[in-house]
Amino acid sequence: NLHPFIRLCVKCAWISSVQDRPLSITFKLKPGSNFYPDVMISRNAPAPEVDYLVWPIVFKYDNGPLLLKGIVHCSQLK
């Protein structure tokens, strides 16, 4: 039953778009970027480099406080 999940997603999108300062959602993360544990959670074992983004990093506004850490998959190979 996906109905409650879909309703929550739509509500979140609506609230984030009508704010005076809209939420800042960071999707720009290139493979090989540094892993920053203060704004990222590793889906696997933490490593110095990020392989890909699983879930975006959410800030209250551009250059604002962190609301939700992003989830990343770290590269295990050097």
Side-chain angles (χ1 to χ4, degrees):
N1 217 333
L2 289 176
H3 188 70
F5 176 74
I6 294 169
R7 288 182 57 116
L8 184 60
C9 289
V10 170
K11 181 179 178 181
C12 183
W14 174 254
I15 290 171
S16 68
S17 67
V18 297
Q19 292 186 45
D20 185 25
R21 294 175 90 176
L23 291 178
S24 174
I25 302 174
T26 304
F27 290 98
K28 300 174 186 172
L29 195 65
K30 297 177 182 175
S33 297
N34 291 333
F35 176 75
Y36 297 105
D38 53 331
V39 295
M40 298 174 186
I41 298 170
S42 179
R43 190 178 84 142
N44 58 345
E49 293 183 352
V50 172
D51 204 15
Y52 60 88
L53 182 67
V54 177
W55 192 259
I57 305 165
V58 181
F59 295 96
K60 190 169 183 179
Y61 47 84
D62 285 336
N63 299 319
L66 178 71
L67 291 180
L68 182 67
K69 288 185 176 187
I71 300 173
V72 297
H73 186 274
C74 291
S75 178
Q76 298 300 312
L77 303 173
K78 267 288 193 179

